[in-house]
């Protein structure tokens, strides 16, 4: 595998091009092209999926040509744009067919590509040839145009089959310049750093809740612009976590917080639900189409159109809420509340560790009690309640992780995941069937063709079968979760007596 | 990967010029292209200034002792790589004869690199041999340059019979006239008289031009060193007619 390597001058110095040419001329015939003005538009998803995977995507535009360059590992894939570049944000599907698109589609998934940075650069390309006049190495001297901030960089680009020559060029380049490395984007921390269990609970709660508020703020513009479905999803996750933490933190939080804020966040959660439900359907439609045995994919087109109409209508309602004064006030006042909460933490009755142990103990007890009481004849509602209990335990483990044993928390979450997966599949199938029935009624009223309803009937049948599978797996999944090793782990996590301290 | 092979039983008909120029045009349009110079004379390899040498030679490649993708060399042009010729390819028939599934070996070697390329071009040596049988198996499209002469029509008939007798899957045969001189009555008559029922005959005719011969001096594809020339336009027209976007 050929490796693209970059080097930089020490400090803030510019590249001494003549010195570089002289040193390379000792081994190669060097020809240098004219400086080209290049505009580099860095693209990534909002959550930096490409960067975190060690990839860097750039739209490189210069006179008469635009191309996408995907740098990954040691190689750079190039896709020349035959027509105009997509309008950003754009999904990977809008990229020209080829290897770049294939890689990006796999990494970005359902997230759109956004412009994350734009640099104007001046690039001089040197071609290094062997005795046959064959280009064996390319070298780009890439400098900021008009005194931009990013430092100059010299990139040595090997050609396939000429690695030895590239190694030689690299050795020569690094006699003058220092090697530079491309750092993958660091993954965003899943939780706060480790905290003292004896610190006030309110301080930890305020810090966690502030993080969730920031998530809401970060994802609101993308939700309003409808860039991709994950913005709304992430808003909802942050709201759900906020609501859970308000509930878990009740003993330690001032009484007015529960009265004033729990209804507010319930409103925000509720107002975002209809569009998210429809997003789930639209995202799942390609897979659902694959389920059809008797019906054809075209039969589901009226259903797809119905979903699109419903989503457009529900999005109008959502937009009114997201742009409205109530949400603005909610965010501003909540930020002020959290600031007060953080300041008033000293001298609080509950320590963070005690609150964590109390919550985890209680949530775990509820999961075990709920799971034990479920039999083959239990109604679906009981499984739904247990799913909610599992979520509460999961949130408690994640949110109080900074004051619990990190390794044990990780293992406890792993124990819980299998059970959550089975309960999730069961409940999702239940909800989807109910919703599908509702859609079918609406479509009948709209005069939908029989073929569409028959195809939806097939989907109902498949969802029912899925639910039955999950139901059959429940007993094994719960027994696995409630095994002695898992119980001992939980006991170690919350202290040997498993009792909450106040 | 879609595979084009430039092939004719006769030599000196413009196979290499066609393979080099079409591979270049495909790569310039953003497709990832590989050109495999199967001819031990190594003319395509020479045109790209690459040394006609493969570590382990034809034996290494065919036997699998050498990874085929390790032998690939980048050309001076973006998206276009070359699997160079090696003088040992003159014995490739014998090497292929020693392998299992002896008519599928080239196809297997190409499939190793399927993820790296959108298109592959095989520049084939003249003649009918086990290499040719492998080419028929590996290629999706057989591009057959024909010099407009009576003998060409005879070899074209042989070639179409050879393809028709080959086991399935067989490539699509697309012939086109090459090195044509409209000023010559015989050329005009042959172009008009060629039977159209044995395979597709492309409308594009590649004329005999000094610029095409200059490729050897310039050691580059025509559209790279004379992009606005008539010769370059002819190859562009041919690629538009026979290429995968056609």
């Amino acid at each position: 595998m050929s490796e693209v390597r970059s080097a930089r001058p020490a400090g803030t110095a510019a590249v001494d091009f003549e010195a570089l040419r002289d040193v390379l001329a000792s081994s190669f015939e060097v020809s240098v092209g004219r400086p080209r003005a290049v505009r580099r538009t860095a693209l990534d998803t909002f959550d930096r999926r490409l960067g975190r995977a060690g990839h860097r995507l750039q739209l490189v535009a210069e006179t008469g040509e635009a191309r996408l360059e995907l740098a990954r590992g040691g190689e750079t894939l190039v896709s020349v744009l035959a027509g105009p570049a997509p309008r950003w944000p754009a999904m990977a599907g809008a990229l020209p067919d080829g290897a770049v698109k294939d890689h990006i589609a796999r990494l970005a998934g359902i997230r759109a590509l956004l412009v994350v940075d734009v640099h104007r650069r001046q690039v001089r390309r040197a071609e290094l040839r062997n005795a046959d006049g064959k280009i064996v190495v390319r070298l780009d001297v890439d400098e900021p145009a008009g005194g931009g901030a990013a430092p100059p960089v010299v990139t040595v680009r090997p050609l396939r089959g000429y690695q030895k020559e590239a190694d030689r060029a690299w050795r020569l380049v690094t006699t003058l310049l220092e090697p530079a490395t491309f750092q993958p984007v660091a993954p965003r921390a899943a939780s706060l750093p480790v905290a003292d269990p004896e610190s006030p609970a309110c301080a930890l709660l305020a810090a966690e809740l502030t993080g969730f508020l920031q998530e809401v703020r970060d994802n609101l513009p993308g939700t309003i612009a409808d860039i991709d479905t994950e913005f709304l999803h992430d808003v909802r996750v942050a709201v759900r976590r906020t609501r859970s933490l308000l509930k878990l933190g009740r003993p330690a939080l001032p009484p007015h917080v529960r009265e004033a804020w729990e209804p507010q966040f319930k409103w925000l959660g509720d107002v975002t639900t209809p569009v998210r439900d429809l997003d789930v359907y639209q995202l799942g439609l390609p897979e659902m189409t694959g389920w059809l045995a008797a019906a054809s994919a075209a039969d589901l087109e009226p259903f797809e159109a119905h979903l699109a109409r419903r989503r457009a209508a529900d999005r109008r309602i959502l937009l009114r809420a997201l742009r409205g004064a109530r949400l603005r006030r909610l965010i501003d006042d909540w930020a002020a509340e959290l600031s007060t909460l953080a300041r008033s933490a000293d001298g609080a009755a509950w320590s963070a560790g005690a609150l964590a142990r109390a919550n985890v103990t209680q949530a775990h007890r509820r999961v075990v009690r709920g799971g034990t009481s479920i039999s083959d004849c239990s109604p679906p509602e009981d499984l739904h309640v247990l799913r909610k209990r599992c979520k509460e335990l999961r949130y408690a483990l994640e949110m109080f992780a900074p004051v619990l044993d990190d390794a044990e928390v990780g293992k406890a979450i792993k124990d819980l995941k299998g059970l959550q997966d089975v309960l999730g599949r069961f409940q999702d199938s239940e909800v989807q069937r109910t919703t599908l029935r509702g859609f079918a009624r609406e479509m009948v009223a709209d005069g939908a063709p029989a073929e569409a309803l028959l195809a939806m009937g097939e989907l109902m049948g498949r969802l029912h079968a899925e639910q039955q599978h999950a139901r059959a797996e429940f007993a094994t999944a719960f027994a696995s979760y409630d095994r002695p090793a898992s119980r001992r782990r939980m006991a170690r996590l919350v202290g040997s007596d498993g009792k909450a301290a106040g | 990967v879609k595979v084009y092979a430039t092939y004719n039983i006769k030599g000196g008909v413009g196979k290499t010029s066609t393979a080099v120029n079409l591979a270049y045009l495909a790569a310039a349009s953003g497709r990832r292209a590989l050109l495999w110079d199967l001819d031990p004379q190594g003319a395509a390899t020479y045109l790209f200034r690459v040394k006609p040498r493969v570590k382990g030679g034809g034996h290494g490649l065919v036997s699998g002792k050498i990874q085929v993708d390790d032998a690939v060399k980048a050309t001076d042009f973006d998206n276009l790589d070359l699997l160079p010729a090696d003088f040992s390819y003159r014995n490739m028939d014998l090497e292929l004869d020693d392998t299992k599934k002896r008519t599928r070996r080239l196809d297997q070697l190409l499939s190793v690199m399927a993820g790296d390329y959108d298109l592959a071009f095989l520049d084939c040596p003249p003649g009918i041999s086990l290499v040719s049988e492998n080419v028929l198996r590996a290629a999706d499209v057989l591009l057959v340059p024909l010099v407009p002469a009576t003998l060409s029509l005879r070899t074209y008939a042989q070639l179409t019979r050879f393809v028709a007798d080959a086991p399935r899957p067989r490539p699509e045969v697309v012939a086109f006239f090459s090195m044509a001189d409209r000023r010559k009555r015989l050329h005009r008559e042959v172009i008009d008289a060629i039977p159209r029922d044995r395979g597709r005959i492309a409308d594009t005719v590649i004329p005999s031009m000094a610029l095409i011969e200059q490729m050897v001096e310039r050691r580059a594809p025509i559209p790279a060193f004379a992009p606005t020339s008539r010769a370059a336009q002819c190859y562009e027209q041919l690629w538009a007619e026979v290429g995968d976007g056609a």
Side-chain angles (χ1 to χ4, degrees), chain B residues 116-176:
Chain B
D116 291 350
Y117 300 102
D118 303 311
L119 302 169
F121 293 83
L122 308 179
D123 185 22
C124 305
I128 292 181
S129 63
L130 196 48
V131 173
S132 325
E133 288 183 58
N134 269 268
V135 166
L136 296 194
R137 179 80 193 195
D140 298 293
V141 180
L142 208 62
L143 294 171
V144 184
L146 299 173
V147 177
T150 312
L151 208 54
S152 287
L153 297 185
R154 189 170 167 272
T155 51
Y156 177 57
Q158 284 176 330
L159 186 149
T160 52
R161 277 200 301 277
F162 175 52
V163 175
D165 292 343
R168 290 173 194 277
R170 300 181 201 116
E172 181 194 5
V173 177
V174 183
F176 63 96

Side-chain angles (χ1 to χ4, degrees), chain A residues 262-279:
Chain A
E262 287 190 17
Q264 292 281 21
F265 282 101
K266 181 179 184 317
W267 165 78
L268 184 53
D270 289 348
V271 83
T272 57
T273 298
V275 173
R276 176 61 195 168
D277 285 351
L278 289 158
D279 282 347

Side-chain angles (χ1 to χ4, degrees), chain B residues 1 5 13 29 79 86 95-96 109 134 141-143 151 158 162 164-165 179 186 192 196 211 218 224 229 235:
Chain B
V1 59
V13 294
S29 73
N79 294 330
D86 188 284
E95 303 294 351
L96 289 167
L109 291 174
N134 269 268
V141 180
L142 208 62
L143 294 171
L151 208 54
Q158 284 176 330
F162 175 52
D165 292 343
M179 305 167 79
L186 178 66
D192 292 340
R196 310 266 162 178
L211 200 62
R218 306 292 291 261
S229 65
Y235 281 111

Side-chain angles (χ1 to χ4, degrees), chain A residues 284-295:
Chain A
L285 210 53
E287 188 192 347
M288 286 181 168
T289 306
W291 296 348
L292 297 175

Side-chain angles (χ1 to χ4, degrees), chain A residues 305-494:
Chain A
H306 180 77
L307 287 177
R309 278 195 302 275
R310 277 285 307 267
R311 187 177 187 277
D314 285 344
R315 234 187 84 74
R316 281 195 288 276
I317 298 167
L318 174 65
L319 280 182
R320 275 201 293 277
L322 298 185
R323 288 175 173 149
R326 179 172 178 177
L327 181 59
R328 270 202 307 278
R329 264 200 315 273
L330 186 159
I331 287 174
D332 292 347
D333 294 353
W334 181 232
E337 180 78 74
L338 290 175
S339 171
T340 309
L341 193 62
R343 283 200 305 273
S344 66
D346 292 343
W350 280 81
S351 72
L355 186 65
R357 289 192 296 275
N359 270 303
V360 171
T361 303
Q362 188 181 38
H364 177 247
R365 197 179 293 143
R366 282 177 170 172
V367 168
V368 172
R369 199 186 300 146
T372 310
S373 69
I374 286 177
S375 68
D376 288 346
C377 2
S378 299
E381 293 73 33
D382 288 3
L383 281 97
H384 179 46
V385 170
L386 180 60
R387 186 193 187 194
K388 289 201 281 189
R389 299 284 167 263
C390 286
K391 271 191 180 173
E392 282 168 8
L393 174 56
R394 175 82 174 265
Y395 286 151
L397 287 166
E398 287 174 353
M399 292 172 197
F400 291 113
V403 291
L404 295 171
D405 181 330
D406 198 35
E408 293 289 1
V409 166
K411 289 173 186 165
I413 289 174
K414 199 175 165 192
D415 287 341
L416 191 58
K417 270 182 179 171
L419 181 59
Q420 281 193 293
D421 174 57
V422 169
L423 290 168
R425 283 191 286 126
F426 178 86
Q427 184 59 21
D428 288 349
S429 300
E430 173 76 16
V431 171
Q432 281 186 305
R433 275 198 307 147
T434 309
T435 326
L436 204 56
R437 194 174 287 117
F439 288 148
R441 288 199 190 100
E442 290 167 6
M443 288 169 65
V444 166
D446 291 347
E451 288 79 6
L453 299 169
L454 288 168
M456 290 166 75
E458 276 199 52
L459 300 185
M460 293 275 285
R462 171 68 182 243
L463 289 167
H464 178 71
E466 288 278 312
Q467 193 180 24
Q468 295 306 108
H469 281 309
R471 188 75 178 80
E473 289 170 30
F474 171 76
T476 311
F478 182 71
S480 170
Y481 173 70
D482 198 31
R483 67 188 189 279
S486 169
R487 282 179 175 247
R488 281 198 298 275
R489 188 183 340 277
M490 198 55 77
R492 282 198 298 276
L493 198 60
V494 295

Side-chain angles (χ1 to χ4, degrees), chain A residues 182-298:
Chain A
F182 164 57
Q183 297 292 337
V185 176
R188 197 168 180 165
S191 59
L192 294 173
V194 174
D196 179 4
E198 296 309 315
S199 61
C202 273
L204 178 68
L205 293 171
E208 295 267 20
L209 290 165
T210 303
F212 301 151
L213 175 60
Q214 193 55 45
E215 278 284 309
V216 171
R217 279 178 158 151
D218 288 348
N219 283 284
L220 268 180
T223 306
I224 290 169
D226 204 15
I227 289 172
D228 63 43
T229 55
E230 288 301 279
F231 285 95
L232 175 61
H233 174 62
D234 288 351
V235 165
R236 283 174 56 77
V237 169
V239 169
R240 205 157 53 220
R241 284 171 185 252
T242 301
R243 291 179 66 191
S244 286
L245 199 52
L246 286 173
K247 193 175 167 188
L248 296 168
R250 276 176 191 168
L253 291 168
H256 77 273
V257 170
R258 176 181 182 176
E259 290 151 24
W261 293 104
E262 287 190 17
Q264 292 281 21
F265 282 101
K266 181 179 184 317
W267 165 78
L268 184 53
D270 289 348
V271 83
T272 57
T273 298
V275 173
R276 176 61 195 168
D277 285 351
L278 289 158
D279 282 347
V280 170
Y281 261 103
Q282 286 191 320
L283 291 170
L285 210 53
E287 188 192 347
M288 286 181 168
T289 306
W291 296 348
L292 297 175
S296 73

